[in-house]
Amino acid sequence: MDGIRDGGSGVPTVGFLGPEGTFTQQGARDLHGPEADLRPEATVVDVISGVTEGRYDFGVVPIENTVEGIVTASLDQLVFRAEPLLIRRETSVRITFDAYTSASAEERPTVVGSHPHGLAQCRRYVRELGLRVEHFASTAAAVRAAAERPDLVAIGAPGLDEVYPVRVRDAGVEDHPGAYTRFVCLGRSAGPELPLPADPAGLAWKTSVALTPSWSRPGVLAELCTQFADRKIDIISVASRPLPGFAGRYVFVVTVDQGRRSPSLARAVKNLLYEGIRVKYLGSYLSDHLLAGASAQQALVPPAGSLGLAELEELTRIFTGGGRAD
C-alpha cells in the first residue's frame, strides 16, 4: 500500500473543491485536522483526478445537501469512473450563507452569483435582488470574483471578508436555516487508509454500493431492497443514476447502516450476485450522518401538499382505480 505523500511526516496531501474559503475546505479540515496539506482545485473532476493520478492521498468533495439533495457531479464520478476510488470517511457541515460585494464597490450591482447549489439554497434572497444570475464553480470562487467586480453580489460562506477584499452586504441569506452538506473523503482502493479516530463517539458505519441489474422488470428496485430488508439491514438512502447509453436503465446507489465486515451485509451482497446484479463497492466508512442535524425529538415535516389518511377522499379522486386499500 502506498504511503502518505508528504516526505515521511505523516501529514496527508488532500485535494478539495476550492478556492480558499469553500464549505468543502471546512469539511476537509474537519476530516483531516488543521495540519493536513490542503490543496484547492477548480472542479470536482479535478479533485478526483488528483487522487486517481496519485498527486493527492485523499480528495474531499460534497456528496449531498439536505436542501438540494445529491451532488450528481460527485456521485457520477464515483460510480462511473473506471479507476477504483473508495469513500474513506464522511462529515456533515452546517451551511449558512452571507452575501458579499467588493470592498471598494460604489455602483449598484447588476449580477448575483454563486455555485448553483448555493443559489438554490438562497432563492428568496436572489429573487428579492432581482438581478441577473451567474454560476460559479464554487461559492468561494464567486466571492473571490466579487472582490474585483463591483457589479457582483456573491453568495458564500461566512467569514470570507477576512479572506478576500469584500464586505458583507447581508448575513444569513439562506432559505432554510439548519441545512447541512455532507462531504466525503475519497481515496484510491490501493492507497493509504484514514486512521480510525481515537474517539468514535458520534460516528457510525455506513457502506455504499452501486447496483446494476442485468434485467428490467416491474419491482426491480423492490427486489434489490428486499435483500437488505430480509436481513434487517437499514437502507439509509437510494439514488438512481441513468446508465449511459441505455435509455430507461438505471444504476441504483444504495447506502446501508453496516460496515463491510457485517455477516448480514455479506450474505445480502452474495444474493444480489446470484440474482444477476452487478455490484460496485464504493466504500465502508465512518460518518456522523445519522447523528448530525435534526433532533430525534423533532417532528417530521413532509413536503408541502402531502396528503394523509385524513385526506383519503381527495386521494381517491386522484387515484381513480377504485377498490379498498390492501
Side-chain angles (χ1 to χ4, degrees):
M1 182 174 293
D2 293 342
I4 299 291
R5 295 185 167 288
D6 67 325
S9 67
V11 176
T13 57
V14 182
F16 71 93
L17 179 61
E20 183 82 12
T22 58
F23 290 108
T24 312
Q25 184 182 33
Q26 181 179 338
R29 286 199 186 106
D30 291 347
L31 287 163
H32 295 280
E35 302 303 321
D37 180 8
L38 304 183
R39 302 184 184 182
E41 289 283 1
T43 68
V44 166
V45 173
D46 292 333
V47 173
I48 292 176
S49 295
V51 179
T52 58
E53 294 165 6
R55 291 185 286 112
Y56 302 136
D57 295 305
F58 303 104
V60 176
V61 296
I63 198 72
E64 185 181 58
N65 176 266
T66 55
V67 176
E68 283 301 293
I70 291 292
V71 181
T72 56
S74 299
L75 187 63
D76 285 355
Q77 284 290 309
L78 189 59
V79 170
F80 294 116
R81 282 186 77 105
E83 303 93 336
L85 283 180
L86 296 178
I87 302 174
R88 298 294 195 184
R89 194 74 54 81
E90 183 178 72
T91 190
S92 302
V93 174
R94 169 81 159 76
I95 303 297
T96 183
F97 292 98
D98 289 349
Y100 299 90
T101 56
S102 168
S104 59
E106 297 181 358
E107 60 193 73
R108 186 180 181 85
T110 59
V111 181
V112 57
S114 190
H115 186 275
H117 271 232
L119 291 167
Q121 294 177 71
C122 304
R123 286 191 176 98
R124 183 175 58 249
Y125 180 76
V126 171
R127 185 171 59 250
E128 290 172 352
L129 287 177
L131 305 177
R132 179 172 63 85
V133 172
E134 184 174 339
H135 291 168
F136 289 82
S138 68
T139 55
V143 177
R144 183 175 63 181
E148 299 179 356
R149 287 181 51 183
D151 66 319
L152 175 62
V153 175
I155 294 174
L160 293 186
D161 53 328
E162 299 178 3
V163 180
Y164 302 107
V166 293
R167 61 176 175 234
V168 176
R169 174 188 171 109
D170 295 291
V173 299
E174 67 273 9
D175 295 337
H176 302 279
Y180 281 80
T181 294
R182 292 190 290 118
F183 296 91
V184 290
C185 169
L186 304 178
R188 299 182 306 283
S189 59
E193 295 187 12
L194 274 178
L196 294 176
D199 181 11
L203 300 175
W205 283 100
K206 295 168 62 175
T207 295
S208 295
V209 289
L211 306 177
T212 307
S214 57
W215 31 258
S216 179
R217 58 175 179 256
V220 57
L221 183 57
E223 292 181 38
L224 298 181
C225 293
T226 296
Q227 297 295 342
F228 300 105
D230 285 351
R231 294 165 179 81
K232 295 181 169 44
I233 299 171
D234 186 23
I235 296 177
I236 298 169
S237 68
V238 178
S240 62
R241 302 301 302 147
L243 187 62
F246 296 89
R249 303 294 292 273
Y250 293 86
V251 179
F252 298 100
V253 182
V254 177
T255 299
V256 300
D257 68 340
Q258 305 275 320
R260 67 182 181 86
R261 292 184 174 85
S262 161
S264 297
L265 182 56
R267 286 192 289 270
V269 170
K270 288 177 183 177
N271 269 33
L272 289 169
L273 295 176
Y274 283 121
E275 291 291 331
I277 295 164
R278 304 286 290 185
V279 179
K280 183 173 184 178
Y281 174 60
L282 303 181
S284 292
Y285 47 97
L286 286 171
S287 170
D288 63 358
H289 177 202
L290 303 180
L291 301 171
S295 164
Q297 287 74 41
Q298 183 176 347
L300 180 69
V301 180
S306 298
L307 305 177
L309 189 58
E311 294 81 29
L312 178 59
E313 284 191 25
E314 185 173 346
L315 284 167
T316 302
R317 288 194 294 271
I318 297 171
F319 300 100
T320 57
R324 298 184 59 180
D326 294 335

Short mmCIF file of all heavy atoms in Angstrom, two decimals, residues 193-219:
data_model
loop_
_atom_site.label_atom_id
_atom_site.label_comp_id
_atom_site.label_asym_id
_atom_site.label_seq_id
_atom_site.Cartn_x
_atom_site.Cartn_y
_atom_site.Cartn_z
N GLU A 193 -5.09 4.40 3.97
CA GLU A 193 -6.38 4.48 4.65
C GLU A 193 -6.33 5.56 5.71
O GLU A 193 -5.26 5.88 6.25
CB GLU A 193 -6.73 3.14 5.28
CG GLU A 193 -6.94 2.02 4.28
CD GLU A 193 -7.44 0.75 4.94
OE1 GLU A 193 -7.83 0.82 6.12
OE2 GLU A 193 -7.44 -0.30 4.28
N LEU A 194 -7.49 6.12 6.00
CA LEU A 194 -7.56 7.06 7.11
C LEU A 194 -7.50 6.29 8.42
O LEU A 194 -8.20 5.29 8.59
CB LEU A 194 -8.88 7.85 7.06
CG LEU A 194 -8.91 9.10 6.19
CD1 LEU A 194 -10.31 9.71 6.23
CD2 LEU A 194 -7.90 10.11 6.65
N PRO A 195 -6.68 6.73 9.38
CA PRO A 195 -6.67 6.04 10.67
C PRO A 195 -8.00 6.20 11.37
O PRO A 195 -8.67 7.23 11.23
CB PRO A 195 -5.53 6.74 11.43
CG PRO A 195 -5.40 8.08 10.78
CD PRO A 195 -5.75 7.88 9.34
N LEU A 196 -8.40 5.19 12.11
CA LEU A 196 -9.63 5.28 12.87
C LEU A 196 -9.49 6.32 13.97
O LEU A 196 -8.42 6.43 14.58
CB LEU A 196 -9.99 3.91 13.48
CG LEU A 196 -10.34 2.81 12.48
CD1 LEU A 196 -10.56 1.50 13.22
CD2 LEU A 196 -11.57 3.18 11.67
N PRO A 197 -10.54 7.11 14.23
CA PRO A 197 -10.44 8.12 15.29
C PRO A 197 -10.28 7.49 16.65
O PRO A 197 -10.81 6.40 16.92
CB PRO A 197 -11.77 8.88 15.17
CG PRO A 197 -12.70 7.92 14.51
CD PRO A 197 -11.86 7.09 13.59
N ALA A 198 -9.53 8.16 17.51
CA ALA A 198 -9.34 7.65 18.87
C ALA A 198 -10.66 7.60 19.62
O ALA A 198 -10.89 6.70 20.44
CB ALA A 198 -8.33 8.53 19.62
N ASP A 199 -11.54 8.58 19.36
CA ASP A 199 -12.86 8.62 19.99
C ASP A 199 -13.92 8.61 18.91
O ASP A 199 -14.22 9.64 18.31
CB ASP A 199 -12.98 9.88 20.86
CG ASP A 199 -14.34 9.96 21.56
OD1 ASP A 199 -15.07 8.95 21.54
OD2 ASP A 199 -14.64 11.03 22.12
N PRO A 200 -14.53 7.42 18.64
CA PRO A 200 -15.51 7.34 17.56
C PRO A 200 -16.92 7.77 17.96
O PRO A 200 -17.87 7.53 17.22
CB PRO A 200 -15.48 5.85 17.21
CG PRO A 200 -15.15 5.18 18.50
CD PRO A 200 -14.24 6.13 19.25
N ALA A 201 -17.08 8.38 19.14
CA ALA A 201 -18.40 8.81 19.59
C ALA A 201 -19.02 9.75 18.56
O ALA A 201 -18.36 10.65 18.03
CB ALA A 201 -18.30 9.51 20.94
N GLY A 202 -20.29 9.54 18.26
CA GLY A 202 -20.97 10.37 17.27
C GLY A 202 -20.81 9.89 15.85
O GLY A 202 -21.31 10.53 14.92
N LEU A 203 -20.08 8.78 15.65
CA LEU A 203 -19.86 8.24 14.30
C LEU A 203 -20.46 6.85 14.20
O LEU A 203 -20.51 6.11 15.18
CB LEU A 203 -18.37 8.18 13.98
CG LEU A 203 -17.60 9.49 14.01
CD1 LEU A 203 -16.11 9.24 13.79
CD2 LEU A 203 -18.13 10.46 12.95
N ALA A 204 -20.92 6.49 13.02
CA ALA A 204 -21.47 5.16 12.78
C ALA A 204 -21.02 4.68 11.40
O ALA A 204 -20.74 5.49 10.52
CB ALA A 204 -23.00 5.19 12.85
N TRP A 205 -20.97 3.36 11.23
CA TRP A 205 -20.53 2.79 9.96
C TRP A 205 -21.63 2.84 8.91
O TRP A 205 -22.80 2.60 9.20
CB TRP A 205 -20.07 1.35 10.15
CG TRP A 205 -18.72 1.23 10.77
CD1 TRP A 205 -18.43 0.95 12.07
CD2 TRP A 205 -17.47 1.41 10.11
NE1 TRP A 205 -17.07 0.95 12.26
CE2 TRP A 205 -16.46 1.22 11.08
CE3 TRP A 205 -17.10 1.70 8.80
CZ2 TRP A 205 -15.10 1.33 10.77
CZ3 TRP A 205 -15.75 1.80 8.49
CH2 TRP A 205 -14.77 1.62 9.47
N LYS A 206 -21.22 3.13 7.68
CA LYS A 206 -22.09 3.07 6.51
C LYS A 206 -21.33 2.34 5.40
O LYS A 206 -20.10 2.36 5.38
CB LYS A 206 -22.47 4.47 6.04
CG LYS A 206 -23.32 5.27 7.00
CD LYS A 206 -23.41 6.73 6.62
CE LYS A 206 -24.07 6.96 5.29
NZ LYS A 206 -24.24 8.40 4.99
N THR A 207 -22.06 1.75 4.50
CA THR A 207 -21.48 1.15 3.29
C THR A 207 -22.32 1.57 2.10
O THR A 207 -23.55 1.55 2.16
CB THR A 207 -21.44 -0.39 3.39
OG1 THR A 207 -20.56 -0.78 4.45
CG2 THR A 207 -20.95 -1.01 2.08
N SER A 208 -21.64 1.94 1.01
CA SER A 208 -22.32 2.33 -0.22
C SER A 208 -21.92 1.40 -1.36
O SER A 208 -20.74 1.05 -1.50
CB SER A 208 -21.98 3.78 -0.61
OG SER A 208 -22.47 4.69 0.36
N VAL A 209 -22.90 0.98 -2.14
CA VAL A 209 -22.66 0.13 -3.31
C VAL A 209 -23.49 0.65 -4.47
O VAL A 209 -24.56 1.23 -4.29
CB VAL A 209 -23.03 -1.35 -3.03
CG1 VAL A 209 -22.05 -1.99 -2.08
CG2 VAL A 209 -24.46 -1.46 -2.49
N ALA A 210 -22.98 0.46 -5.68
CA ALA A 210 -23.72 0.77 -6.90
C ALA A 210 -24.20 -0.54 -7.50
O ALA A 210 -23.39 -1.43 -7.79
CB ALA A 210 -22.85 1.54 -7.89
N LEU A 211 -25.51 -0.68 -7.67
CA LEU A 211 -26.12 -1.94 -8.12
C LEU A 211 -26.70 -1.76 -9.51
O LEU A 211 -27.52 -0.87 -9.74
CB LEU A 211 -27.22 -2.37 -7.15
CG LEU A 211 -26.81 -2.46 -5.67
CD1 LEU A 211 -28.00 -2.83 -4.80
CD2 LEU A 211 -25.67 -3.45 -5.49
N THR A 212 -26.28 -2.62 -10.44
CA THR A 212 -26.76 -2.55 -11.82
C THR A 212 -27.45 -3.86 -12.18
O THR A 212 -26.78 -4.88 -12.39
CB THR A 212 -25.61 -2.29 -12.80
OG1 THR A 212 -24.87 -1.14 -12.39
CG2 THR A 212 -26.14 -2.07 -14.21
N PRO A 213 -28.79 -3.88 -12.22
CA PRO A 213 -29.50 -5.10 -12.62
C PRO A 213 -29.22 -5.44 -14.08
O PRO A 213 -29.11 -4.55 -14.93
CB PRO A 213 -30.98 -4.75 -12.41
CG PRO A 213 -30.98 -3.56 -11.49
CD PRO A 213 -29.72 -2.81 -11.81
N SER A 214 -29.12 -6.72 -14.38
CA SER A 214 -28.92 -7.16 -15.75
C SER A 214 -30.23 -7.34 -16.49
O SER A 214 -30.26 -7.73 -17.65
CB SER A 214 -28.13 -8.47 -15.79
OG SER A 214 -28.80 -9.47 -15.03
N TRP A 215 -31.34 -7.05 -15.82
CA TRP A 215 -32.68 -7.17 -16.40
C TRP A 215 -33.51 -5.98 -15.95
O TRP A 215 -33.16 -5.26 -15.03
CB TRP A 215 -33.34 -8.47 -15.94
CG TRP A 215 -32.91 -8.93 -14.57
CD1 TRP A 215 -32.01 -9.90 -14.29
CD2 TRP A 215 -33.33 -8.41 -13.30
NE1 TRP A 215 -31.83 -10.03 -12.93
CE2 TRP A 215 -32.64 -9.13 -12.30
CE3 TRP A 215 -34.23 -7.41 -12.91
CZ2 TRP A 215 -32.81 -8.88 -10.95
CZ3 TRP A 215 -34.39 -7.17 -11.55
CH2 TRP A 215 -33.69 -7.90 -10.59
N SER A 216 -34.64 -5.79 -16.64
CA SER A 216 -35.56 -4.71 -16.29
C SER A 216 -36.97 -5.27 -16.28
O SER A 216 -37.45 -5.78 -17.30
CB SER A 216 -35.44 -3.56 -17.30
OG SER A 216 -36.35 -2.52 -16.98
N ARG A 217 -37.59 -5.20 -15.11
CA ARG A 217 -38.96 -5.68 -15.00
C ARG A 217 -39.63 -4.97 -13.82
O ARG A 217 -38.94 -4.38 -12.97
CB ARG A 217 -39.00 -7.19 -14.78
CG ARG A 217 -38.25 -7.69 -13.55
CD ARG A 217 -38.46 -9.19 -13.37
NE ARG A 217 -37.74 -9.71 -12.22
CZ ARG A 217 -36.63 -10.42 -12.30
NH1 ARG A 217 -36.08 -10.65 -13.48
NH2 ARG A 217 -36.05 -10.88 -11.21
N PRO A 218 -40.95 -5.00 -13.74
CA PRO A 218 -41.63 -4.34 -12.61
C PRO A 218 -41.15 -4.90 -11.28
O PRO A 218 -40.98 -6.12 -11.11
CB PRO A 218 -43.11 -4.67 -12.85
CG PRO A 218 -43.22 -4.91 -14.31
CD PRO A 218 -41.92 -5.54 -14.71
N GLY A 219 -40.88 -4.00 -10.33
CA GLY A 219 -40.46 -4.44 -9.00
C GLY A 219 -38.98 -4.63 -8.82
O GLY A 219 -38.54 -5.14 -7.79
#
